[in-house]
Short mmCIF file of all heavy atoms in Angstrom, two decimals:
data_model
loop_
_atom_site.label_atom_id
_atom_site.label_comp_id
_atom_site.label_asym_id
_atom_site.label_seq_id
_atom_site.Cartn_x
_atom_site.Cartn_y
_atom_site.Cartn_z
N GLU A 18 21.89 109.65 185.20
CA GLU A 18 22.52 108.34 184.93
C GLU A 18 21.69 107.27 185.64
O GLU A 18 21.38 107.42 186.82
CB GLU A 18 23.96 108.37 185.45
CG GLU A 18 24.67 107.05 185.53
CD GLU A 18 24.88 106.39 184.18
OE1 GLU A 18 25.78 106.84 183.43
OE2 GLU A 18 24.14 105.44 183.86
N ASP A 19 21.32 106.23 184.90
CA ASP A 19 20.47 105.21 185.51
C ASP A 19 21.24 104.03 186.09
O ASP A 19 20.65 103.15 186.70
CB ASP A 19 19.43 104.70 184.49
CG ASP A 19 20.07 104.07 183.29
OD1 ASP A 19 21.17 104.51 182.90
OD2 ASP A 19 19.49 103.14 182.72
N GLU A 20 22.55 104.00 185.87
CA GLU A 20 23.33 102.90 186.47
C GLU A 20 23.93 103.37 187.78
O GLU A 20 24.82 104.22 187.81
CB GLU A 20 24.44 102.46 185.50
CG GLU A 20 23.91 101.67 184.31
CD GLU A 20 24.96 101.51 183.23
OE1 GLU A 20 25.96 100.83 183.51
OE2 GLU A 20 24.78 102.06 182.14
N ASP A 62 23.89 110.64 180.69
CA ASP A 62 23.98 109.32 180.08
C ASP A 62 23.08 109.32 178.84
O ASP A 62 22.07 110.02 178.81
CB ASP A 62 23.51 108.28 181.10
CG ASP A 62 23.70 106.86 180.59
OD1 ASP A 62 24.58 106.63 179.74
OD2 ASP A 62 22.95 105.98 181.06
N LEU A 63 23.46 108.58 177.82
CA LEU A 63 22.63 108.58 176.61
C LEU A 63 21.45 107.63 176.71
O LEU A 63 20.33 107.95 176.34
CB LEU A 63 23.48 108.24 175.38
CG LEU A 63 24.42 109.32 174.86
CD1 LEU A 63 25.02 108.92 173.53
CD2 LEU A 63 23.71 110.66 174.72
N MET A 64 21.71 106.41 177.19
CA MET A 64 20.63 105.43 177.30
C MET A 64 19.97 105.55 178.66
O MET A 64 20.54 105.17 179.67
CB MET A 64 21.21 104.01 177.14
CG MET A 64 21.76 103.73 175.76
SD MET A 64 20.43 103.45 174.58
CE MET A 64 20.01 101.76 174.98
N LEU A 65 18.77 106.12 178.65
CA LEU A 65 18.08 106.39 179.92
C LEU A 65 16.62 105.98 179.81
O LEU A 65 16.03 106.11 178.74
CB LEU A 65 18.11 107.89 180.23
CG LEU A 65 19.39 108.55 180.67
CD1 LEU A 65 19.24 110.06 180.58
CD2 LEU A 65 19.76 108.13 182.09
N PRO A 66 16.04 105.52 180.90
CA PRO A 66 14.58 105.31 180.87
C PRO A 66 13.86 106.66 180.88
O PRO A 66 14.40 107.66 181.35
CB PRO A 66 14.31 104.53 182.16
CG PRO A 66 15.47 104.80 183.05
CD PRO A 66 16.65 105.16 182.18
N LYS A 114 32.50 105.20 178.49
CA LYS A 114 32.69 104.19 179.53
C LYS A 114 33.59 103.08 178.99
O LYS A 114 33.41 102.71 177.83
CB LYS A 114 31.34 103.55 179.92
CG LYS A 114 30.32 104.50 180.47
CD LYS A 114 28.99 103.73 180.62
CE LYS A 114 27.84 104.70 180.85
NZ LYS A 114 26.52 104.06 180.79
CA1 LIG B 316 22.17 104.08 180.88
#
Side-chain angles (χ1 to χ4, degrees):
E18 168 64 76
D19 61 328
E20 286 168 66
D62 186 25
L63 286 189
M64 293 284 281
L65 287 166
K114 299 173 194 171

